Amino acid sequence: MVYLRNLLQAQFINDEKIGSKEMIIKSDKDALFVLQSRSNILKLALSSPEKLKETKDQCANNIIYWLENFCYTFDPRPKSLRNIPFMPYEYQRSLILSLVDCIKNGEDILIEKSRDMGATWCILYVLQWYWQFHSGYNFHLGSKKQDNVDVIGDPSTLFGKIRYNLRLQPSWLLPEGFNIKKNSTLLKLINPANGNTITGESANSEFSRSGRYSAIFFDEFAYWNYDKEAWSAAGDSSPCRIAVSTPFGKFNKFADLRFDSSIKKTTLHWKLHPLKSDDWYKNEKNRRTKDEIARELDISYLFSVEGKVYKDFDYAIHVTKNLKADRVFPVIRTWDFGLNPAVVISQISDKGQWKVLYEIVPPLDNKPTIAEFIPQVLEYCKKNYEGFTFRDICDIAGKQKSSQTGKSDIDWLISYGISPLYNYVKIEEGINLVASRLICKDFIPEPAVLIDDRCSFVVEAFVGAYRRKKPSVEGQETVPLQEHPYEDVMDCIRYTAWQYFDPHTGKKTRRKPRNVRPDNIYTGY
């Protein structure tokens, strides 16, 4: 029998008794103690039909009893225990019981976590418990890629974890007629005794839409493509959506749910883990990047984005409240055109300190034409900067004439008495120049760049919403993703930097038209 064989082959004592909430497996000796106790329970169950039924009933009625006596987790990392009896920690018990209630009552739940907290094991085993012991439950699993959901033979996938645990169950505890080869196929598990199913798919805009489920599991949801569409589609497919993830910035549906919804929330910080300490954390900090620490350990939404363009941006240093315009210096309006127009308003002192005062970004679902947008900007400036002088900078792509009106965006500005400066700006040159201003120390104790916190898109873009495509070659920089409105406001920032600062010295300068054109003379790319 697989179950007994696993007892004998275990690799892995506390003075506490088995079943205690404080029972923690730290060594082979601890695990052996648990396995010996499980062996006694197994022998008692097999001693008579009555005891066997009693044990089955206990498993069906008490998920913690089932987990502590019949379930395992697997850890393939070197120097780790391999087949580990699942003895849920106290925080895991709370999560498990909360999940049981959410499925029973039809309630959504969000779980934000540090890495390696066992949340996925807990969720999957709650679903398996319902599937294995209770009729009328169908579940759906999803992750960013199908390879994370299911690859036959891979125990690291979602289905692989459930199959691993099914193989270690005593045969008499499995559903009657269950055959893992017959009833477990790619992206599907069937309970032949009661018809329950567990299915899965990768992230897509129609995720889960075609089915009806008792609960839907969104694994590492912060990293999904089509996250908003998938979450919405699942709302009609199930009353219980389970979203779990480490953070990946504030610009995804997972973060929206965390900060802007009434969804039930649970936080699994690494400090809850009884085997993790301050010394462990210090060691992890020495071997990880700042982004990794924020994302994998600290549950930081602000600093957890991978591939962000401006890594030296520091919210605590560069963002402030209530920046005031100084009448001594002109107000700079930097315009970005295209389908998503934007204007960033700033001032640069005679010595080169740069203050970003305000942004004007129309809603993406109600975008004005350039003829409508210009008066809106002028009205705001008239109201808030009366008596100031203005300088205008714009995207050189604004020289292109519209086939419908015969006028370019720059022609429209000129028709309102605005004579903008524009220049060819290669993306990476502009990025490097902005980056140099972020680390400039000419104005200590103040930074060289200050941004008013009302400029929410500019701030979010600096924090990480403006990020690069994943490099195809390690260490190779790639162009930033064209995600609106972050690309639009950061283009304004680049145009401003290029017009006012020397790329070699970083000092304030008067920009001369460049003689060398970039690859694309209109976009500067």
Side-chain angles (χ1 to χ4, degrees), residues 328-348:
V328 175
F329 309 116
V331 169
I332 303 164
R333 296 181 297 216
T334 308
W335 305 72
D336 186 67
F337 306 119
L339 295 176
N340 301 278
V343 165
V344 172
I345 296 173
S346 60
Q347 283 191 313
I348 298 175

Side-chain angles (χ1 to χ4, degrees), residues 48 57 114 127 138 155 175 187 199 268 274 343 347 362 406 450 468 502 518:
S48 70
D57 289 344
S114 302
L127 303 186
N138 297 323
L187 298 172
T199 54
L268 304 182
V343 165
Q347 283 191 313
L450 272 172
R468 297 183 185 278
D502 187 280

Side-chain angles (χ1 to χ4, degrees), residues 313-440:
F313 176 82
D314 189 327
Y315 186 96
I317 294 174
H318 295 108
V319 180
T320 188
K321 293 181 180 291
N322 302 318
L323 271 179
K324 303 297 183 184
D326 191 331
R327 290 186 179 275
V328 175
F329 309 116
V331 169
I332 303 164
R333 296 181 297 216
T334 308
W335 305 72
D336 186 67
F337 306 119
L339 295 176
N340 301 278
V343 165
V344 172
I345 296 173
S346 60
Q347 283 191 313
I348 298 175
S349 72
D350 54 357
K351 293 184 178 180
Q353 188 177 37
W354 186 2
K355 295 182 178 181
V356 181
L357 303 170
Y358 197 68
E359 62 184 25
I360 302 176
V361 182
L364 295 182
D365 59 354
N366 188 25
K367 295 173 288 190
T369 64
I370 190 66
E372 296 168 333
F373 184 54
I374 294 173
Q376 294 174 13
V377 175
L378 296 182
E379 180 63 27
Y380 175 83
C381 292
K382 179 181 178 181
K383 181 178 178 181
N384 291 276
Y385 303 110
E386 187 174 0
F388 283 76
T389 58
F390 294 91
R391 289 181 184 169
D392 293 272
I393 302 168
C394 75
D395 180 0
I396 196 171
K399 293 174 66 176
Q400 298 178 82
K401 294 186 181 295
S402 167
S403 58
Q404 295 179 335
T405 66
K407 295 176 66 174
S408 69
D409 292 327
I410 291 176
D411 289 335
W412 278 106
L413 289 176
I414 292 172
S415 70
Y416 281 90
I418 299 170
S419 299
L421 300 170
Y422 47 86
N423 219 321
Y424 300 118
V425 186
K426 287 187 176 181
I427 290 179
E428 209 58 39
E429 289 178 327
I431 286 173
N432 291 338
L433 190 50
V434 174
S436 72
R437 302 311 298 165
L438 293 174
I439 61 175
C440 175

